[in-house]
Each structure stands twice: as structure tokens, then as C-alpha cells.
Amino acid sequence: MSSTKAARIGEEVWKTRIDKVNAELVTLTYGSIVAQLCKDYEGDYMEVNKQLDKMGYNIGLRLIEDFLAKTNTGRCINFRDTAETISKIGFKVFLNITPTVTNWATDNKQFSLVFEENPLADFVELPDDGRAQNELWYSNILCGVLRGALEMVQMQVDAHFTSDVLRGNETTEMRVSLIRIIDDELPPGDD
Amino acid sequence: MPIYSFYIFDRHCECIYVKQWLERERNSLRPTTSSGASIINSPLSGAPDKRISAGTIADQSLRTAPGRLSVQDDAKLVFGVVFSLRNMVRKLSGPEDNFVSYRTGSYKLHYYETATNLKFVMLTDVKMSNLRVVLHQIYVNLYVEYVTKNPLSPVEHPGGEGVAVELFELGLDRFVQTIQEA
């Protein structure tokens, strides 16, 4: 699928088939989840990252079905196709953003998503305790969502943030790498 | 036009939902096993020998009352058929291709598979037109809405847990009714 075609589908589905909610509601709900996790784990930000990723993973496992039902897209032909679909259709229909796909590795198995805008992080300032700036990946739930959703369509990936404007970096960038294609499961033997 | 049964298989090759209709009509066929079968077959299948063998086994199981297979065994057979057929089709014409339906002398099997490896199968009367779109609609409007989006339903459905919920059943029954009447 070409990138313009993906963009067109994303736009179309977002306009016609998506129920919208107030963006601030999403931002504030997500913010309270992260804040609560930080409290529950008493500032163990590594653990908070892990929990966010896990929550996202469980969302992704279901979200993919909704994605396929709404967009009616078929299987992607290669990982580049997958990247375009994630950015132009996936992020578009669920968050109304289209992160830029860039920094491809030469083997076409790794790419970066650069977020010019991130509705999850509006109004956010990381805690000023000297550690959150270095340890907390505030939007880490997104990594989990991608991991879960792609696993359901037979792609095992690793996704993690490499920079975040909240930490004072220039950009917000997520690195996604394909680990392997999961084989179809075979039915159990008749014994 | 009658619809006989409907199956959903998940990515672990497990049957997570079965629904069979018209149990009574099938039963009424039984006493006149041989003649009933030939009446159904004769006008529709000029070449009964072309039937897919697995289908024939399933056929017989429906008709011969004593040797009739359980619902679970039926489901296993159906899965075996679609699984092999799907793999064969992909080997012959590339991974993008998929079979849509096949027909025997006495039933037609319709098939739809999602990118997440969920398989939807419906067995109907031979004269039924293509139901691929219908199966897709069942996925979009019923399965995703009532099963996937149900927060209390598990993500995976071992043993069919969480699929046979009331809203899904009602919706499916109503939907199938409209197709049968059409």
C-alpha cells in the first residue's frame, strides 16, 4: 500500500466511522492513570514503564480487532507497509495523529515513529524529583499497544521510546523493530 | 434458504463457537435416509464423485442416525477441511489468496478469515449465494462489538469462554433469520 493510499483510508475512516470523544478527557484520564501508577509504585519509574507497557499490550490485543473491523484492510505485504499502516491509518483513526515514519534500518526491520504531536502528553510536566526526567517514559502505553496489536497479526516486535520532548529532548521518537514473524499454529494431533 | 451451522475458530485452532440450526429438519430426513439423500443430491450435483472426501464423511455423519458424530467432532472435521484447503490454496496461488466457499451435493461451506487468524465458517443450502460479506459483517458488527469489546470477556477464548454471550447470540440469530428469509 502506498503512503498516500494509506493516508486516504485513514482520513476516510476517521471521518466516517469513528465515534469521537473529547481529547482533554483522554489526556486527563491517561494522566491520572500514570500519576496513580507513580504513586502506587512509590516513584519506581522503571516499574511504571513496565506496567504501562503491559496495559497497552492488553489494549492492543483487542484494539487490533476493532482496527481491522473499522478499516477493512488486509494483510500487509511487508514491514514497510506495516509501518505506513500503523502511522497513517492506526494512529490516525484512534488518536487523529500521523507520526512520521523514518530512520529505516538497512534490513527494513527497524523504523522510528516521530511524534510531532502527542495528545497523551498535553499539559504534562514530569515530576521534578531529578529521576522522572531520566527514567519515566510517560507515553509508554503506546509501545505496549503496538506490541499487542502486531502480535495478533503474527508479528513479534519490540517497541520502545528513545526520546521524549517531556524529558527535554528535541523530538518524541519511538523505535519499532521486528523480531520475527510468528508462524501459524498447527492443530493438535489426533491422539 | 436454510442455513445449517456456523463455526468460529481462533488462532490456536480451537473451535470457540458453534451454532447449529434446523436440527429438526435434519432429523426428519433420517428415516428416509437413502431416498432422502438421493433426492437432495440428484438435481444439484451432476458429479457426486467430485465431492471433497472429507465433506462426504461429514455428510454421512449427518444422515446415518446411529453413527452420527457429536457437535465437537463435526467442528473438528470442519476445521480440518478449511485448514487444509486454505493451506493448499495458499501454496497454489500465493499467500494473499484465500478460498471463499466450496460446494458438495448437499451443502455449501462459506469461509472468511481475518488478519488475526480468526476463521468464520458457515454451512448452508447449496443454492445460497456467496456469504463472504455476511461472515465479514458477523465479524464486524457482532464479534468485535459484543465479544472483543466486552470488557469482562477474556482476550483469548479457551473452550469458547466469553463468546456465547447473550447479545452475540441474539444478534446472530436475528441476522441469520434475515438471510434465511431473503
Side-chain angles (χ1 to χ4, degrees):
Chain A
M1 188 175 344
S2 70
S3 131
T4 45
K5 190 181 168 211
R8 210 188 59 231
I9 295 175
E11 190 71 35
E12 158 108 20
V13 173
W14 183 78
K15 270 193 190 138
T16 54
R17 268 179 254 171
I18 300 291
D19 297 327
K20 322 271 188 308
V21 296
N22 187 303
E24 290 183 13
L25 177 69
V26 177
T27 308
L28 297 180
T29 310
Y30 183 69
S32 8
I33 291 173
V34 181
Q36 188 62 46
L37 283 173
C38 291
K39 235 178 251 160
D40 288 353
Y41 290 96
E42 292 159 354
D44 181 351
Y45 295 121
M46 293 306 173
E47 193 55 34
V48 174
N49 291 341
K50 211 192 283 172
Q51 291 300 322
L52 285 173
D53 182 84
K54 208 161 133 193
M55 285 171 153
Y57 176 76
N58 286 316
I59 294 173
L61 295 179
R62 289 174 193 254
L63 196 68
I64 184 69
E65 303 283 6
D66 192 39
F67 173 80
L68 292 170
K70 286 211 169 88
T71 60
N72 201 8
T73 48
R75 215 169 273 276
C76 295
I77 40 173
N78 53 37
F79 202 49
R80 277 186 174 266
D81 196 16
T82 308
E84 288 299 329
T85 308
I86 291 170
S87 146
K88 305 276 189 325
I89 309 181
F91 277 103
K92 175 69 191 178
V93 302
F94 292 118
L95 286 176
N96 193 23
I97 55 174
T98 45
T100 315
V101 179
T102 176
N103 291 339
W104 276 96
T106 43
D107 61 358
N108 279 337
K109 285 186 176 172
Q110 274 186 39
F111 65 89
S112 293
L113 288 169
V114 177
F115 296 80
E116 281 92 33
E117 43 180 346
N118 177 2
L120 295 184
D122 286 342
F123 324 121
V124 174
E125 274 177 43
L126 296 184
D128 211 5
D129 57 4
R131 287 186 306 116
Q133 302 274 341
N134 298 318
E135 292 172 12
L136 179 64
W137 292 113
Y138 183 81
S139 308
N140 216 32
I141 201 164
L142 296 178
C143 298
V145 172
L146 282 190
R147 190 162 64 85
L150 289 175
E151 185 183 304
M152 289 297 275
V153 287
Q154 287 93 48
M155 274 176 273
Q156 192 184 351
V157 300
D158 172 75
H160 60 267
F161 277 102
T162 53
S163 65
D164 191 338
V165 286
L166 292 180
R167 291 183 171 202
N169 302 120
E170 299 265 300
T171 54
T172 302
E173 177 175 336
M174 189 202 293
R175 193 81 183 144
V176 183
S177 21
L178 178 66
I179 298 171
R180 68 185 179 108
I181 303 281
I182 303 165
D183 292 329
D184 284 348
E185 284 183 39
L186 295 172
D190 235 347
D191 38 29
Chain B
M1 223 165 286
I3 290 175
Y4 302 135
S5 52
F6 172 67
Y7 303 86
I8 305 175
F9 302 95
D10 71 358
R11 63 187 179 128
H12 307 301
C13 309
E14 195 183 341
C15 180
I16 55 172
Y17 186 77
V18 192
K19 178 93 183 175
Q20 298 193 320
W21 290 276
L22 293 173
E23 199 54 32
R24 213 176 332 131
E25 283 182 35
R26 245 196 230 155
N27 290 346
S28 68
L29 272 179
R30 274 187 205 155
T32 54
T33 302
S34 53
S35 62
S38 63
I39 289 167
I40 295 173
N41 283 337
S42 54
L44 297 166
S45 65
D49 51 317
K50 271 194 186 161
R51 287 168 163 207
I52 294 168
S53 59
T56 320
I57 297 166
D59 278 353
Q60 284 166 352
S61 72
L62 296 184
R63 297 227 182 74
T64 49
R68 187 141 182 236
L69 297 176
S70 68
V71 175
Q72 284 79 10
D73 286 341
D74 267 358
K76 257 191 204 162
L77 275 179
V78 169
F79 181 81
V81 174
V82 296
F83 186 76
S84 326
L85 212 47
R86 158 187 182 271
N87 289 351
M88 187 186 78
V89 167
R90 287 188 177 185
K91 281 222 172 73
L92 283 175
S93 51
E96 291 310 300
D97 203 14
N98 236 327
F99 83 97
V100 176
S101 68
Y102 76 77
R103 214 186 85 171
T104 75
S106 46
Y107 72 94
K108 186 168 174 182
L109 182 145
H110 307 260
Y111 180 70
Y112 173 73
E113 184 182 341
T114 71
T116 46
N117 262 350
L118 276 171
K119 299 174 177 67
F120 293 79
V121 177
M122 197 171 253
L123 266 66
T124 68
D125 190 90
V126 276
K127 281 179 278 184
M128 184 66 84
S129 57
N130 189 1
L131 289 188
R132 195 185 164 79
V133 180
V134 167
L135 292 176
H136 177 72
Q137 277 172 335
I138 291 177
Y139 169 62
V140 171
N141 297 328
L142 300 174
Y143 186 85
V144 172
E145 289 300 313
Y146 299 138
V147 178
T148 307
K149 288 191 188 171
N150 175 3
L152 298 180
S153 150
V155 178
E156 302 280 357
H157 307 281
E161 189 191 343
V163 182
V165 288
E166 202 172 337
L167 284 169
F168 180 74
E169 298 256 16
L170 277 176
L172 183 64
D173 261 341
R174 208 170 297 151
F175 193 46
V176 163
Q177 197 112 42
T178 58
I179 304 162
Q180 283 183 329
E181 282 159 9

Short mmCIF file of all heavy atoms in Angstrom, two decimals, chain B residues 116-159:
data_model
loop_
_atom_site.label_atom_id
_atom_site.label_comp_id
_atom_site.label_asym_id
_atom_site.label_seq_id
_atom_site.Cartn_x
_atom_site.Cartn_y
_atom_site.Cartn_z
N THR B 116 -6.21 -11.58 11.88
CA THR B 116 -5.81 -12.12 13.18
C THR B 116 -6.04 -13.62 13.26
O THR B 116 -6.06 -14.18 14.35
CB THR B 116 -6.59 -11.44 14.31
OG1 THR B 116 -7.98 -11.40 13.95
CG2 THR B 116 -6.13 -10.03 14.55
N ASN B 117 -6.25 -14.25 12.10
CA ASN B 117 -6.41 -15.70 12.04
C ASN B 117 -7.68 -16.23 12.69
O ASN B 117 -7.73 -17.37 13.12
CB ASN B 117 -5.21 -16.40 12.66
CG ASN B 117 -4.24 -16.85 11.61
OD1 ASN B 117 -4.55 -16.79 10.42
ND2 ASN B 117 -3.06 -17.29 12.02
N LEU B 118 -8.69 -15.39 12.80
CA LEU B 118 -9.99 -15.91 13.21
C LEU B 118 -10.66 -16.45 11.97
O LEU B 118 -10.64 -15.81 10.92
CB LEU B 118 -10.86 -14.79 13.78
CG LEU B 118 -10.69 -14.39 15.23
CD1 LEU B 118 -11.48 -13.12 15.49
CD2 LEU B 118 -11.17 -15.49 16.14
N LYS B 119 -11.25 -17.63 12.09
CA LYS B 119 -11.88 -18.24 10.92
C LYS B 119 -13.37 -18.36 11.14
O LYS B 119 -13.81 -18.92 12.14
CB LYS B 119 -11.28 -19.62 10.67
CG LYS B 119 -9.79 -19.58 10.40
CD LYS B 119 -9.24 -20.99 10.32
CE LYS B 119 -7.77 -20.97 9.99
NZ LYS B 119 -6.95 -20.38 11.08
N PHE B 120 -14.14 -17.83 10.23
CA PHE B 120 -15.60 -17.92 10.31
C PHE B 120 -16.09 -18.86 9.22
O PHE B 120 -15.75 -18.68 8.05
CB PHE B 120 -16.22 -16.53 10.11
CG PHE B 120 -15.92 -15.58 11.24
CD1 PHE B 120 -14.69 -14.96 11.32
CD2 PHE B 120 -16.86 -15.33 12.21
CE1 PHE B 120 -14.40 -14.09 12.36
CE2 PHE B 120 -16.59 -14.45 13.25
CZ PHE B 120 -15.35 -13.85 13.33
N VAL B 121 -16.89 -19.83 9.61
CA VAL B 121 -17.35 -20.85 8.66
C VAL B 121 -18.86 -20.99 8.78
O VAL B 121 -19.40 -21.03 9.88
CB VAL B 121 -16.70 -22.21 8.97
CG1 VAL B 121 -17.25 -23.28 8.03
CG2 VAL B 121 -15.20 -22.13 8.86
N MET B 122 -19.54 -21.03 7.64
CA MET B 122 -20.98 -21.24 7.67
C MET B 122 -21.36 -22.31 6.65
O MET B 122 -20.92 -22.27 5.51
CB MET B 122 -21.69 -19.93 7.35
CG MET B 122 -23.15 -19.92 7.75
SD MET B 122 -23.82 -18.27 7.59
CE MET B 122 -23.97 -17.78 9.29
N LEU B 123 -22.18 -23.25 7.09
CA LEU B 123 -22.68 -24.29 6.20
C LEU B 123 -24.13 -23.98 5.84
O LEU B 123 -24.95 -23.77 6.73
CB LEU B 123 -22.61 -25.66 6.89
CG LEU B 123 -21.35 -26.49 6.61
CD1 LEU B 123 -20.15 -25.80 7.21
CD2 LEU B 123 -21.50 -27.87 7.21
N THR B 124 -24.41 -23.95 4.56
CA THR B 124 -25.76 -23.58 4.13
C THR B 124 -26.26 -24.50 3.03
O THR B 124 -25.54 -25.39 2.56
CB THR B 124 -25.78 -22.16 3.53
OG1 THR B 124 -25.07 -22.19 2.30
CG2 THR B 124 -25.14 -21.16 4.46
N ASP B 125 -27.45 -24.21 2.61
CA ASP B 125 -28.03 -24.85 1.43
C ASP B 125 -27.14 -24.60 0.22
O ASP B 125 -26.50 -23.55 0.12
CB ASP B 125 -29.42 -24.25 1.20
CG ASP B 125 -30.20 -25.01 0.16
OD1 ASP B 125 -30.90 -25.95 0.54
OD2 ASP B 125 -30.10 -24.65 -1.03
N VAL B 126 -27.13 -25.52 -0.72
CA VAL B 126 -26.25 -25.38 -1.89
C VAL B 126 -26.59 -24.17 -2.76
O VAL B 126 -25.73 -23.64 -3.45
CB VAL B 126 -26.30 -26.62 -2.81
CG1 VAL B 126 -25.36 -27.66 -2.30
CG2 VAL B 126 -27.69 -27.15 -2.96
N LYS B 127 -27.85 -23.74 -2.73
CA LYS B 127 -28.24 -22.66 -3.64
C LYS B 127 -27.96 -21.28 -3.07
O LYS B 127 -28.20 -20.27 -3.72
CB LYS B 127 -29.73 -22.80 -4.00
CG LYS B 127 -29.96 -23.86 -5.06
CD LYS B 127 -31.43 -24.01 -5.38
CE LYS B 127 -32.11 -24.89 -4.35
NZ LYS B 127 -33.50 -25.18 -4.61
N MET B 128 -27.46 -21.24 -1.85
CA MET B 128 -27.17 -19.96 -1.21
C MET B 128 -26.10 -19.20 -2.01
O MET B 128 -25.13 -19.79 -2.45
CB MET B 128 -26.67 -20.23 0.21
CG MET B 128 -26.41 -19.01 1.04
SD MET B 128 -27.90 -18.10 1.41
CE MET B 128 -28.52 -18.96 2.83
N SER B 129 -26.32 -17.90 -2.19
CA SER B 129 -25.29 -17.11 -2.88
C SER B 129 -24.12 -16.89 -1.93
O SER B 129 -24.16 -17.26 -0.76
CB SER B 129 -25.88 -15.78 -3.32
OG SER B 129 -26.40 -15.12 -2.21
N ASN B 130 -23.08 -16.24 -2.40
CA ASN B 130 -21.85 -16.08 -1.64
C ASN B 130 -22.08 -15.33 -0.31
O ASN B 130 -22.65 -14.27 -0.28
CB ASN B 130 -20.86 -15.30 -2.52
CG ASN B 130 -19.50 -15.27 -1.90
OD1 ASN B 130 -19.28 -15.83 -0.83
ND2 ASN B 130 -18.58 -14.60 -2.56
N LEU B 131 -21.59 -15.93 0.78
CA LEU B 131 -21.83 -15.31 2.09
C LEU B 131 -20.59 -14.68 2.70
O LEU B 131 -20.57 -14.36 3.88
CB LEU B 131 -22.38 -16.35 3.06
CG LEU B 131 -23.81 -16.84 2.82
CD1 LEU B 131 -24.26 -17.70 3.98
CD2 LEU B 131 -24.77 -15.68 2.66
N ARG B 132 -19.55 -14.48 1.91
CA ARG B 132 -18.33 -13.91 2.45
C ARG B 132 -18.60 -12.57 3.13
O ARG B 132 -18.12 -12.29 4.23
CB ARG B 132 -17.33 -13.71 1.30
CG ARG B 132 -15.93 -13.47 1.77
CD ARG B 132 -15.05 -13.16 0.56
NE ARG B 132 -13.82 -12.56 0.99
CZ ARG B 132 -12.81 -13.25 1.49
NH1 ARG B 132 -12.90 -14.54 1.65
NH2 ARG B 132 -11.70 -12.62 1.87
N VAL B 133 -19.42 -11.76 2.48
CA VAL B 133 -19.76 -10.44 3.03
C VAL B 133 -20.53 -10.59 4.35
O VAL B 133 -20.30 -9.86 5.31
CB VAL B 133 -20.60 -9.64 2.01
CG1 VAL B 133 -20.95 -8.27 2.57
CG2 VAL B 133 -19.86 -9.51 0.70
N VAL B 134 -21.42 -11.56 4.35
CA VAL B 134 -22.20 -11.81 5.56
C VAL B 134 -21.29 -12.20 6.72
O VAL B 134 -21.42 -11.68 7.84
CB VAL B 134 -23.24 -12.91 5.29
CG1 VAL B 134 -23.85 -13.41 6.58
CG2 VAL B 134 -24.31 -12.40 4.35
N LEU B 135 -20.33 -13.08 6.45
CA LEU B 135 -19.41 -13.51 7.50
C LEU B 135 -18.57 -12.33 7.99
O LEU B 135 -18.30 -12.18 9.18
CB LEU B 135 -18.51 -14.64 7.00
CG LEU B 135 -19.22 -15.97 6.74
CD1 LEU B 135 -18.25 -16.99 6.16
CD2 LEU B 135 -19.83 -16.52 8.02
N HIS B 136 -18.18 -11.48 7.04
CA HIS B 136 -17.44 -10.29 7.42
C HIS B 136 -18.29 -9.39 8.33
O HIS B 136 -17.81 -8.86 9.32
CB HIS B 136 -17.02 -9.51 6.16
CG HIS B 136 -16.31 -8.22 6.46
ND1 HIS B 136 -15.04 -8.18 6.95
CD2 HIS B 136 -16.72 -6.95 6.37
CE1 HIS B 136 -14.69 -6.93 7.14
NE2 HIS B 136 -15.69 -6.15 6.80
N GLN B 137 -19.56 -9.28 8.00
CA GLN B 137 -20.45 -8.46 8.83
C GLN B 137 -20.64 -9.06 10.22
O GLN B 137 -20.72 -8.33 11.20
CB GLN B 137 -21.81 -8.30 8.15
CG GLN B 137 -21.79 -7.19 7.12
CD GLN B 137 -23.06 -7.17 6.32
OE1 GLN B 137 -23.75 -8.18 6.17
NE2 GLN B 137 -23.39 -6.00 5.79
N ILE B 138 -20.71 -10.38 10.28
CA ILE B 138 -20.81 -11.01 11.60
C ILE B 138 -19.59 -10.66 12.43
O ILE B 138 -19.69 -10.33 13.61
CB ILE B 138 -20.95 -12.55 11.46
CG1 ILE B 138 -22.31 -12.90 10.85
CG2 ILE B 138 -20.76 -13.23 12.81
CD1 ILE B 138 -22.52 -14.37 10.61
N TYR B 139 -18.42 -10.69 11.78
CA TYR B 139 -17.18 -10.32 12.48
C TYR B 139 -17.23 -8.87 12.96
O TYR B 139 -17.02 -8.57 14.13
CB TYR B 139 -15.99 -10.55 11.54
CG TYR B 139 -14.68 -9.96 12.01
CD1 TYR B 139 -14.09 -10.41 13.19
CD2 TYR B 139 -14.03 -8.98 11.27
CE1 TYR B 139 -12.89 -9.88 13.62
CE2 TYR B 139 -12.82 -8.45 11.70
CZ TYR B 139 -12.25 -8.90 12.88
OH TYR B 139 -11.07 -8.37 13.29
N VAL B 140 -17.56 -7.96 12.04
CA VAL B 140 -17.51 -6.53 12.35
C VAL B 140 -18.61 -6.12 13.33
O VAL B 140 -18.35 -5.45 14.33
CB VAL B 140 -17.63 -5.69 11.05
CG1 VAL B 140 -17.79 -4.22 11.37
CG2 VAL B 140 -16.41 -5.91 10.18
N ASN B 141 -19.84 -6.52 13.03
CA ASN B 141 -20.97 -5.99 13.80
C ASN B 141 -21.32 -6.80 15.04
O ASN B 141 -21.95 -6.28 15.95
CB ASN B 141 -22.21 -5.89 12.91
CG ASN B 141 -22.00 -4.92 11.78
OD1 ASN B 141 -21.29 -3.94 11.93
ND2 ASN B 141 -22.62 -5.19 10.64
N LEU B 142 -20.96 -8.07 15.05
CA LEU B 142 -21.33 -8.88 16.21
C LEU B 142 -20.11 -9.30 17.03
O LEU B 142 -20.05 -9.05 18.22
CB LEU B 142 -22.10 -10.13 15.75
CG LEU B 142 -23.41 -9.84 15.00
CD1 LEU B 142 -24.01 -11.12 14.48
CD2 LEU B 142 -24.39 -9.13 15.90
N TYR B 143 -19.13 -9.93 16.37
CA TYR B 143 -18.00 -10.45 17.13
C TYR B 143 -17.20 -9.33 17.79
O TYR B 143 -16.95 -9.33 18.99
CB TYR B 143 -17.09 -11.30 16.23
CG TYR B 143 -15.99 -11.98 16.99
CD1 TYR B 143 -16.21 -13.20 17.62
CD2 TYR B 143 -14.74 -11.39 17.11
CE1 TYR B 143 -15.21 -13.82 18.36
CE2 TYR B 143 -13.74 -11.99 17.85
CZ TYR B 143 -13.98 -13.20 18.46
OH TYR B 143 -12.98 -13.80 19.20
N VAL B 144 -16.80 -8.34 17.00
CA VAL B 144 -15.98 -7.26 17.55
C VAL B 144 -16.78 -6.44 18.57
O VAL B 144 -16.29 -6.11 19.66
CB VAL B 144 -15.43 -6.35 16.44
CG1 VAL B 144 -14.75 -5.13 17.02
CG2 VAL B 144 -14.46 -7.11 15.56
N GLU B 145 -18.04 -6.16 18.24
CA GLU B 145 -18.85 -5.33 19.12
C GLU B 145 -19.15 -6.00 20.46
O GLU B 145 -19.04 -5.39 21.51
CB GLU B 145 -20.17 -4.96 18.44
CG GLU B 145 -20.03 -3.97 17.30
CD GLU B 145 -19.41 -2.65 17.73
OE1 GLU B 145 -19.87 -2.10 18.76
OE2 GLU B 145 -18.49 -2.18 17.05
N TYR B 146 -19.58 -7.26 20.40
CA TYR B 146 -20.10 -7.89 21.61
C TYR B 146 -19.11 -8.82 22.30
O TYR B 146 -19.25 -9.12 23.48
CB TYR B 146 -21.38 -8.67 21.29
CG TYR B 146 -22.49 -7.80 20.76
CD1 TYR B 146 -23.28 -8.20 19.69
CD2 TYR B 146 -22.74 -6.56 21.33
CE1 TYR B 146 -24.30 -7.40 19.21
CE2 TYR B 146 -23.74 -5.75 20.86
CZ TYR B 146 -24.52 -6.17 19.79
OH TYR B 146 -25.52 -5.35 19.32
N VAL B 147 -18.13 -9.32 21.57
CA VAL B 147 -17.18 -10.23 22.20
C VAL B 147 -15.87 -9.51 22.51
O VAL B 147 -15.45 -9.42 23.65
CB VAL B 147 -16.92 -11.47 21.31
CG1 VAL B 147 -15.90 -12.39 21.96
CG2 VAL B 147 -18.22 -12.22 21.06
N THR B 148 -15.23 -8.94 21.47
CA THR B 148 -13.94 -8.28 21.68
C THR B 148 -14.09 -7.06 22.59
O THR B 148 -13.27 -6.84 23.47
CB THR B 148 -13.35 -7.83 20.34
OG1 THR B 148 -13.33 -8.93 19.46
CG2 THR B 148 -11.95 -7.30 20.54
N LYS B 149 -15.13 -6.28 22.38
CA LYS B 149 -15.25 -5.05 23.15
C LYS B 149 -15.88 -5.25 24.51
O LYS B 149 -15.98 -4.31 25.29
CB LYS B 149 -16.06 -4.02 22.36
CG LYS B 149 -15.32 -3.45 21.17
CD LYS B 149 -16.06 -2.28 20.60
CE LYS B 149 -15.44 -1.80 19.31
NZ LYS B 149 -16.29 -0.80 18.66
N ASN B 150 -16.34 -6.46 24.80
CA ASN B 150 -16.90 -6.71 26.12
C ASN B 150 -15.76 -6.76 27.14
O ASN B 150 -14.93 -7.67 27.11
CB ASN B 150 -17.65 -8.05 26.09
CG ASN B 150 -18.17 -8.45 27.45
OD1 ASN B 150 -18.01 -7.70 28.42
ND2 ASN B 150 -18.77 -9.61 27.52
N PRO B 151 -15.69 -5.79 28.04
CA PRO B 151 -14.54 -5.72 28.93
C PRO B 151 -14.42 -6.93 29.87
O PRO B 151 -13.34 -7.23 30.36
CB PRO B 151 -14.76 -4.43 29.72
CG PRO B 151 -16.17 -4.02 29.48
CD PRO B 151 -16.65 -4.70 28.25
N LEU B 152 -15.52 -7.61 30.10
CA LEU B 152 -15.46 -8.76 31.00
C LEU B 152 -15.11 -10.04 30.28
O LEU B 152 -14.84 -11.06 30.90
CB LEU B 152 -16.81 -8.94 31.71
CG LEU B 152 -17.23 -7.77 32.60
CD1 LEU B 152 -18.56 -8.05 33.25
CD2 LEU B 152 -16.17 -7.51 33.66
N SER B 153 -15.09 -10.00 28.96
CA SER B 153 -14.76 -11.19 28.21
C SER B 153 -13.24 -11.32 28.13
O SER B 153 -12.53 -10.33 28.00
CB SER B 153 -15.38 -11.06 26.82
OG SER B 153 -14.62 -11.75 25.87
N PRO B 154 -12.70 -12.54 28.25
CA PRO B 154 -11.24 -12.69 28.16
C PRO B 154 -10.75 -12.40 26.74
O PRO B 154 -11.53 -12.44 25.79
CB PRO B 154 -11.03 -14.16 28.52
CG PRO B 154 -12.31 -14.84 28.22
CD PRO B 154 -13.39 -13.83 28.42
N VAL B 155 -9.45 -12.10 26.62
CA VAL B 155 -8.89 -11.80 25.29
C VAL B 155 -8.87 -13.05 24.43
O VAL B 155 -9.26 -13.04 23.28
CB VAL B 155 -7.47 -11.22 25.42
CG1 VAL B 155 -6.88 -10.96 24.05
CG2 VAL B 155 -7.49 -9.95 26.23
N GLU B 156 -8.39 -14.14 25.02
CA GLU B 156 -8.43 -15.42 24.33
C GLU B 156 -9.67 -16.14 24.83
O GLU B 156 -10.18 -15.84 25.90
CB GLU B 156 -7.19 -16.25 24.66
CG GLU B 156 -5.88 -15.58 24.30
CD GLU B 156 -5.55 -15.70 22.83
OE1 GLU B 156 -6.32 -16.37 22.10
OE2 GLU B 156 -4.53 -15.15 22.40
N HIS B 157 -10.15 -17.10 24.05
CA HIS B 157 -11.39 -17.75 24.46
C HIS B 157 -11.23 -19.26 24.56
O HIS B 157 -11.80 -20.01 23.78
CB HIS B 157 -12.50 -17.42 23.45
CG HIS B 157 -12.66 -15.96 23.24
ND1 HIS B 157 -13.32 -15.16 24.12
CD2 HIS B 157 -12.21 -15.15 22.25
CE1 HIS B 157 -13.29 -13.90 23.69
NE2 HIS B 157 -12.62 -13.87 22.56
N PRO B 158 -10.41 -19.71 25.53
CA PRO B 158 -10.23 -21.15 25.65
C PRO B 158 -11.55 -21.82 25.98
O PRO B 158 -12.28 -21.37 26.88
CB PRO B 158 -9.23 -21.30 26.81
CG PRO B 158 -9.33 -20.01 27.57
CD PRO B 158 -9.70 -18.97 26.58
N GLY B 159 -11.88 -22.85 25.22
CA GLY B 159 -13.15 -23.53 25.44
C GLY B 159 -14.36 -22.70 25.08
O GLY B 159 -15.47 -23.01 25.49
#
